[in-house]
Amino acid sequence: VTAYTSECEKARRESLNRLIENAKRIGANAVIGTDFETSDILNGTATIFAAYGTAVIARLSEKNE
């Protein structure tokens, strides 16, 4: 169980890193509404991890004084 949990955490981090890299590649500097999804395949012998969200360009608003 410990090895499986460790691999799940690693896969989750990798899916998040891929999401961030894909967002950067299209010019975004932030991702909002991030969520994770898992799916069992091969009769439950493997699990797929996916991260998804909305890539955005975030900027500070100017203060009107």
Side-chain angles (χ1 to χ4, degrees), residues 6-18:
S6 177
E7 289 300 313
C8 287
E9 290 172 359
K10 182 179 170 185
R12 184 178 186 274
R13 273 193 311 273
E14 186 176 321
S15 66
L16 181 59
N17 288 338
R18 286 182 182 180

Side-chain angles (χ1 to χ4, degrees), residues 3-53:
Y4 178 76
T5 301
S6 177
E7 289 300 313
C8 287
E9 290 172 359
K10 182 179 170 185
R12 184 178 186 274
R13 273 193 311 273
E14 186 176 321
S15 66
L16 181 59
N17 288 338
R18 286 182 182 180
L19 174 64
I20 292 167
E21 290 305 314
N22 286 333
K24 286 179 183 178
R25 190 173 38 241
I26 63 170
N29 64 1
V31 179
I32 60 173
T34 305
D35 204 355
F36 295 90
E37 182 177 296
T38 60
S39 299
D40 289 331
I41 60 170
L42 302 173
N43 294 323
T45 60
T47 303
I48 295 175
F49 285 79
Y52 57 92

